[in-house]
């Protein structure tokens, strides 16, 4: 549990475990209950989650999350099922005219590794213009720079090649 949940002491010194997200609990329950012989399995969850690290601007340490997990289908049809479920759920709440469904992918392991190299090579040329957070991420987890809200970082990223176009020259 130590790697999944953050240990935190309350004011009286009691040890608390803060749940950062729902997926890990679902996977643990799936494995502990011996459900691996009966796949695919579908799960949903809702509840309070907690951020241990300093939250980004506009985010709270405690938040509520709803999620679904589909275990045992490795094809894109599993992704399609979960996306369709989310879309139908939002429609049932009459939110479909207030939202826009955007689908994104970081690809498979090989394409992510290839794109990571392209990203690092590209961003190294702009190191002096990147935000402090993005400079740290360049070493630790460069794909996180793609989520940067910093206007300077966003401007640099505009001319970056898309992951689906790995052969397009810079």
């Amino acid at each position: 549990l130590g790697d999944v949940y953050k240990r935190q002491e309350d004011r009286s010194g009691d040890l608390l475990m803060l749940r950062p997200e729902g997926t890990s609990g679902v996977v643990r329950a799936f494995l502990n209950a011996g459900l691996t012989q009966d796949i695919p399995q579908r799960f949903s969850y809702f509840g309070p989650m907690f951020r241990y690290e300093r939250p980004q601007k506009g985010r709270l340490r405690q938040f509520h999350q709803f999620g679904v997990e589909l275990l045992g289908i490795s094809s894109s049809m599993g992704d399609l099922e979960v996306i369709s479920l989310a879309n139908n759920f939002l429609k049932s709440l009459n939110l479909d005219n207030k939202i826009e469904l955007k689908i994104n992918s970081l690809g498979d392991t090989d394409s992510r590794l290839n794109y990571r190299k392209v990203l690092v090579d590209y961003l190294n040329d702009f190191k002096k213009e990147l935000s402090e957070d993005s400079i740290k991420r360049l070493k630790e987890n460069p794909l996180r720079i793609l989520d940067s809200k910093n206007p300077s970082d966003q401007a640099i990223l505009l001319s970056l090649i898309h992951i689906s176009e790995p052969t397009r020259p810079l």
Side-chain angles (χ1 to χ4, degrees):
L1 289 178
D3 292 340
V4 177
Y5 293 88
K6 297 294 182 184
R7 295 168 193 245
Q8 182 73 33
E9 284 188 14
D10 67 9
R11 290 181 184 146
S12 65
D14 292 335
L15 189 62
L16 306 172
M17 302 299 277
L18 303 177
R19 178 174 53 183
E21 51 92 36
T23 301
S24 56
V26 167
V27 172
R28 188 178 307 102
F30 170 76
L31 294 172
N32 288 342
L35 299 175
T36 58
Q37 303 302 314
D38 188 21
I39 55 175
Q41 290 281 331
R42 293 158 179 86
F43 300 91
S44 65
Y45 54 85
F46 175 77
M49 310 290 168
F50 303 89
R51 291 184 178 91
Y52 180 75
E53 295 83 16
R54 183 178 60 92
Q56 295 173 336
K57 183 179 179 183
R59 294 188 175 187
L60 303 174
R61 287 200 184 272
Q62 179 179 349
F63 60 99
H64 283 76
Q65 181 178 356
F66 169 79
V68 296
E69 306 294 337
L70 173 58
L71 303 174
I73 297 179
S74 59
S75 73
S76 59
M77 294 308 291
D79 296 334
L80 180 62
E81 181 179 332
V82 171
I83 292 167
S84 178
L85 173 69
N87 194 45
N88 290 336
F89 175 72
L90 294 170
K91 280 182 180 180
S92 75
L93 297 174
N94 293 320
L95 294 175
D96 55 324
N97 61 346
K98 295 179 175 82
I99 61 160
E100 180 181 355
L101 177 62
K102 293 183 178 183
I103 300 172
N104 193 5
S105 173
L106 289 174
D108 61 13
T109 303
D110 290 339
S111 61
R112 276 192 307 277
L113 289 173
N114 291 335
Y115 192 70
R116 184 183 194 280
K117 182 182 179 339
V118 169
L119 180 65
V120 169
D121 289 347
Y122 173 78
L123 292 175
N124 271 327
D125 292 340
F126 296 93
K127 238 181 177 173
K128 291 181 180 178
E129 299 164 49
L130 288 172
S131 68
E132 188 178 321
D133 282 342
S134 290
I135 291 170
K136 285 182 203 170
R137 290 176 176 163
L138 192 56
K139 294 175 187 166
E140 299 166 8
N141 188 357
L143 292 175
R144 290 280 318 277
I145 297 172
L146 299 173
D147 294 330
S148 175
K149 304 295 185 251
N150 181 288
S152 176
D153 293 347
Q154 289 177 346
I156 292 167
L157 292 169
L158 281 176
S159 58
L160 179 66
I161 64 172
H162 191 273
I163 195 166
S164 65
E165 312 171 74
T167 58
R168 191 186 95 194
L170 290 173

